[in-house]
Amino acid sequence: MNNSPGVVERYVADLRHYARVLSAGRGDADDLVQECLARALARPNFPADIRNVRAYLFSVLHNVHVDQVSRRAETTDTVDFEEVAGSIPQPAAQPAAIELRDLARALDALPEEQHRVVLLVGLEGLTYEETAQVLDLPIGTVMSRLSRGREALRRMTEGRNAPKRRAEARA
């Protein structure tokens, strides 16, 4: 057999069908088939040294596809997060700010003894033992005040009791 395109013409439709399955669109599929045929026809002694031309062409098509996918993966552009951060939709900050404001008000409304314990354990991260040492209290008292303080904060932030300022509560 000679090295002519006529030898592979009967397989072009099958190659195009397979290429469409492998690629994103018709244009990409046509490019894939074209590259496959160019590689096959560039082979010296094609198709004389090939036993099954159809299987060989499908192998070439598959390899061309794998090469293109690998090439795309290697050349995928990366985008610096800092460049696009402003264009990424973000949840509104107002609810978080309102919750933080409400928590600050609720903390301020706690009785002084609960306020100190909640801040030392919750904000500063001290253990119960460390808090007891700092405030010179028994550990049971720390645990009790912390429990009552947390429950009061829960009630106030859930809207069950409106927080009053500590100064107003004492007056």
Side-chain angles (χ1 to χ4, degrees):
M1 289 189 186
N2 61 6
N3 192 1
S4 73
V7 176
V8 296
E9 279 181 13
R10 63 180 152 176
Y11 303 117
V12 171
D14 293 337
L15 291 171
R16 288 184 78 208
H17 182 263
Y18 184 54
R20 283 187 188 149
V21 171
L22 293 176
S23 59
R26 184 177 227 146
D28 291 338
D30 289 342
D31 292 345
L32 200 58
V33 171
Q34 182 178 353
E35 180 63 25
C36 165
L37 295 175
R39 286 188 189 183
L41 293 172
R43 180 183 171 138
N45 300 322
F46 178 83
D49 60 344
I50 306 298
R51 287 179 105 164
N52 185 339
V53 173
R54 184 174 189 268
Y56 172 74
L57 290 172
F58 274 83
S59 280
V60 171
L61 181 72
H62 177 78
N63 291 336
V64 169
H65 173 70
V66 169
D67 290 348
Q68 288 178 355
V69 169
S70 296
R71 202 172 312 118
R72 276 188 224 125
E74 291 171 2
T75 61
T76 300
D77 293 334
T78 57
V79 177
D80 185 25
F81 179 75
E82 307 303 326
E83 292 177 21
V84 296
S87 65
I88 298 173
Q90 308 248 337
Q94 293 91 340
I98 291 169
E99 288 176 9
L100 191 58
R101 180 204 62 200
D102 290 347
L103 179 60
R105 286 181 181 167
L107 275 168
D108 194 40
L110 285 177
E112 190 65 37
E113 59 275 356
Q114 292 175 8
H115 182 260
R116 285 191 214 135
V117 173
V118 168
L119 287 179
L120 288 172
V121 174
L123 183 65
E124 298 298 329
L126 272 65
T127 64
Y128 297 164
E129 294 84 13
E130 292 168 333
T131 303
Q133 288 175 350
V134 168
L135 298 176
D136 194 29
L137 295 170
I139 193 166
T141 303
V142 168
M143 293 169 67
S144 173
R145 289 180 183 177
L146 181 62
S147 175
R148 285 184 280 129
R150 284 178 174 166
E151 182 55 35
L153 286 174
R154 203 172 292 115
R155 278 194 319 271
M156 287 186 272
T157 56
E158 290 174 355
R160 288 188 265 164
N161 287 353
K164 298 177 185 172
R165 301 229 179 258
R166 240 180 288 132
E168 294 172 16
R170 282 188 230 122

